[in-house]
Amino acid sequence: MAANAACAVSYGVPRAGVPAVVSFEKWIATAAARASNSGPCGCSIRVVGAVEGRTLNRTWRERDYATNVLSFPASATPVPPQAEASASWLGDIVLCAPVIAREARTQRKRTRDHYAHMTVHGLLHLLGFDHERATDARAMERLERRILGELGVPDPYG
């Protein structure tokens, strides 16, 4: 993985159909290199099932359903011991495997490509990007398209 990003991945679901650690590391490193000027950074990724995803979304966002990706900035999460001391810890990304798989099917996307998109999207949130206002959403989508294009992933918004 690139020297500018560190990523700790854990799986709360069976690995079938879920990308390997090396894929998440590549996506995080590429996104961090293109979206951040802050030097080395790190995050954790947890791939969860629908029950855990729903619980987290209900607890932290007061929305009672599992969603595709949640981002928890470092200000709200402790730095794990495996984080590199030289990295700026950004926080945690939670990806809900069944939601991502279902969305990929309904949107006629490769599941792997949708995982890449949700990983990049989650990291951008940790870096401070959001899509609450239309202008911010357009800027974030442009950056996502550029990063994903570099990774060989088709335009997720096209």
Side-chain angles (χ1 to χ4, degrees), residues 44-46 48 53 56-57 61 63 65-72 92-97 99-100 103 114-126 131 140 144:
S44 72
I45 295 175
R46 177 148 173 87
V48 301
L56 289 167
N57 202 26
R61 295 179 65 224
R63 297 182 181 171
Y65 57 89
T67 189
N68 50 20
V69 60
L70 293 166
S71 297
F72 297 96
D92 304 316
I93 299 169
V94 176
L95 301 167
C96 188
V99 173
I100 290 173
E103 288 176 348
H114 199 39
Y115 267 103
H117 179 210
M118 293 299 96
T119 301
V120 169
H121 187 89
L123 183 72
L124 293 181
H125 277 306
L126 293 181
H131 41 78
M140 188 171 175
E144 287 173 345

Side-chain angles (χ1 to χ4, degrees), residues 22-89:
V22 68
S23 296
F24 289 114
E25 290 173 340
K26 178 181 178 183
W27 300 332
I28 291 293
T30 301
R34 299 302 168 261
S36 175
N37 295 323
S38 62
C41 63
C43 71
S44 72
I45 295 175
R46 177 148 173 87
V47 184
V48 301
V51 172
E52 187 174 349
R54 180 179 181 180
T55 300
L56 289 167
N57 202 26
R58 184 177 52 236
T59 301
W60 296 102
R61 295 179 65 224
E62 298 179 354
R63 297 182 181 171
D64 195 19
Y65 57 89
T67 189
N68 50 20
V69 60
L70 293 166
S71 297
F72 297 96
S75 59
T77 60
V79 177
Q82 70 269 25
E84 293 182 13
S86 62
S88 171
W89 192 256

